Amino acid sequence: DMKVTQMPRYLIKRMGENVLLECGQDMSHETMYWYRQDPGLGLQLIYISYDVDSNSEGDIPKGYRVSRKKREHFSLILDSAKTNQTSVYFCASSPGTGGEQYFGPGTRLTVL
Amino acid sequence: TQTVSQSDAHVTVFEGDSVELRCNYSYGGSIYLSWYIQHHGHGLQFLLKYYSGNPVVQGVNGFEAEFSKSDSSFHLRKASVHWSDSAVYFCAVSPLPGTGSNRLTFGKGTKFSLIP
């Protein structure tokens, strides 16, 4: 069964702490994504990864960085988290056939 | 610049009724059009997509969508809705693979709910 997993599902951090969000996929997809979703703003693209060590900024990369050392694994890192980074974060992967992305269940991050 | 407009923020119908969720787009080249569903507390789930051929495409759970080039639309329909269809629905466009971008542009979403 094709699957995108995210860990952790819920996370509470204090302002200034570092945050690591992990994403995995078992479909050997080359392209992976990180989004955040906020009420009224819809889905905003943070980063795209086209393959191992091949990452590009999305629409809102400021305050975030990513790491992809294996095709099946894509991490989102917040160095010194801010309260305005409180959000639900989604990871997705794409088979590259156009129009399709497969999303994980999301991580709800609260920064106090 | 690609834009996706979902004009209805919220749609409500009775169980068993039909529904149409509207999506209009603007884009200067060839694109994929897609629909996604998001149940409360979950990630988005791919429903269907269109690129070419028959303008009516079938998806899972009885959903279908119809492409209209003249109207720049890709509306989603279901003939008889069920409680489990209550969710937020997102329309999306993306350029052809290999054109330099694998990104989707999403609409703001339409919240679909049933009248109890």
Side-chain angles (χ1 to χ4, degrees):
Chain A
D1 193 20
M2 300 186 295
K3 208 169 184 180
V4 177
T5 58
Q6 291 186 238
M7 290 292 289
R9 294 293 315 279
Y10 302 90
L11 187 61
I12 300 175
K13 287 286 193 178
R14 295 193 181 279
M15 191 170 58
E17 291 184 329
N18 298 331
V19 176
L20 173 64
L21 305 184
E22 313 248 33
C23 174
Q25 50 103 356
D26 61 2
M27 298 167 279
S28 298
H29 290 166
E30 290 182 354
T31 310
M32 297 184 73
Y33 310 78
W34 276 106
Y35 295 89
R36 63 179 282 176
Q37 186 176 39
D38 301 285
L41 295 178
L43 280 157
Q44 298 176 274
L45 179 65
I46 306 171
Y47 267 95
I48 303 175
S49 174
Y50 293 101
D51 211 334
V52 171
D53 285 330
S54 179
N55 306 316
S56 293
E57 295 181 344
D59 297 323
I60 54 161
K62 186 177 180 181
Y64 304 94
R65 61 183 176 95
V66 292
S67 174
R68 192 163 178 207
K69 298 301 182 184
K70 293 182 180 180
R71 178 171 284 186
E72 64 270 19
H73 196 249
F74 189 32
S75 301
L76 181 69
I77 301 125
L78 288 66
D79 295 315
S80 187
K82 300 172 181 55
T83 55
N84 62 7
Q85 292 178 308
T86 291
S87 186
V88 181
Y89 291 86
F90 289 100
C91 174
S93 71
S94 171
T97 52
E100 284 178 69
Q101 290 183 14
Y102 294 90
F103 284 76
T107 295
R108 182 174 293 275
L109 172 67
T110 302
V111 182
L112 301 175
Chain B
T1 303
Q2 306 169 55
T3 63
V4 181
S5 173
Q6 294 181 247
S7 54
D8 299 313
H10 199 174
V11 172
T12 57
V13 300
F14 289 99
E15 188 179 22
D17 283 354
S18 62
V19 68
E20 180 177 84
L21 304 180
R22 294 181 291 183
C23 174
N24 292 88
Y25 67 91
S26 65
Y27 188 70
S30 298
I31 54 171
Y32 281 87
L33 291 153
S34 314
W35 277 97
Y36 289 77
I37 180 174
Q38 184 180 29
H39 288 105
H40 182 69
H42 294 267
L44 279 70
Q45 180 184 348
F46 171 73
L47 273 181
L48 50 76
K49 70 177 181 182
Y50 172 81
Y51 168 61
S52 66
N54 187 339
V56 179
V57 291
Q58 305 294 326
V60 297
N61 296 331
F63 285 99
E64 67 175 30
E66 184 167 6
F67 168 73
S68 170
K69 187 174 182 178
S70 59
D71 294 338
S72 297
S73 68
F74 188 56
H75 302 330
L76 182 70
R77 301 190 294 245
K78 187 169 182 179
S80 178
V81 298
H82 186 266
W83 285 105
S84 60
D85 297 324
S86 297
V88 180
Y89 291 79
F90 292 93
C91 181
V93 301
S94 61
L96 298 186
T99 57
S101 172
N102 290 347
R103 57 186 299 168
L104 291 173
T105 299
F106 288 94
K108 295 290 188 186
T110 295
K111 185 175 182 181
F112 174 61
S113 55
L114 274 70
I115 303 168

